[in-house]
Amino acid sequence: MPKFNLDVNLTDADIAEAREGWKGPLPPKGSYPSKMKVVQFKEIVNGKNKGSYRISIICTLDTGDKYDGCPVYGGVNLTEQGAQYVNQWLYALTDGSDAAFKKLQAAFQNGPIVDEKKENVLKIGTLKIGSPEGEQKVLISIKPSVYEGDTTMKVVSFLPRNGASTDHADSVADEEVVEEDVEDDSDDSDDSEDEAGDESLFEDEEETAE
């Protein structure tokens, strides 16, 4: 019997981390406290930002109710257009003071501490991230995203800790911070490159290397 010749070395490869899907109810859109579990560098392998890097982020809601533990997917692109969203994310990890933000921003610019694979972010300066089992708290605004028939929750914005509401009642106020120009579906192509929402790092529009 003929055999198929595999052009890949499995022996030296790691076993990819498996994550169970969320089996609980999906929360309504709104702002929620969360824990930042996964923060990973991923190379963008297609689209107009091919060759650039993206920080892929997975948070889990920290609500203490039926939504507790629900995963929320987001990220920030390390591009000139995406820099403002990187700053938004960094600012959300501080106490809201200018000094704390500038310190964290400088530490990130200098290079986060990563694992041996240079994938998981362990620390930004003195701030512990601990990916892929992080516990760093961050306030996020979220909304549903439908891809190939499956609905998940995605990050719309990372919110400042000072003065931000953590209410997440079923009737969410219209004042929630959202990126209005970002498309709902994460499988959209990059055809609309001129739209402001293209560089919002809360979309997984561009394929990243595993």
Side-chain angles (χ1 to χ4, degrees), residues 34-104:
S34 73
K35 293 180 181 179
M36 205 165 54
K37 305 299 290 185
V38 177
V39 180
Q40 295 178 333
F41 283 102
K42 297 287 187 180
E43 184 178 0
I44 299 171
V45 298
N46 67 356
K48 65 180 183 295
N49 291 321
K50 180 179 180 179
S52 298
Y53 278 84
R54 168 183 175 82
I55 293 185
S56 179
I57 299 171
I58 302 176
C59 299
T60 57
L61 297 188
D62 186 25
T63 56
D65 58 13
K66 62 184 179 180
Y67 304 126
D68 192 87
C70 178
V72 185
Y73 302 89
V76 289
N77 288 343
L78 301 178
T79 63
E80 289 299 320
Q81 298 94 329
Q84 59 184 320
Y85 299 105
V86 178
N87 283 335
Q88 181 196 86
W89 170 58
L90 293 173
Y91 184 73
L93 298 176
T94 72
D95 61 7
S97 67
D98 186 64
F101 168 65
K102 292 297 184 183
K103 180 180 179 181
L104 189 63

Side-chain angles (χ1 to χ4, degrees), residues 117-153:
K117 295 173 64 178
K118 296 185 177 181
E119 180 180 51
N120 287 290
V121 177
L122 305 180
K123 294 176 68 176
I124 304 175
T126 59
L127 182 68
K128 182 178 179 181
I129 302 300
S131 179
E133 298 295 337
E135 294 290 323
Q136 185 61 231
K137 295 185 177 182
V138 63
L139 186 64
I140 54 178
S141 64
I142 67 175
K143 68 177 180 180
S145 177
V146 180
Y147 180 64
E148 294 186 348
D150 293 327
T151 302
T152 59
M153 303 306 298

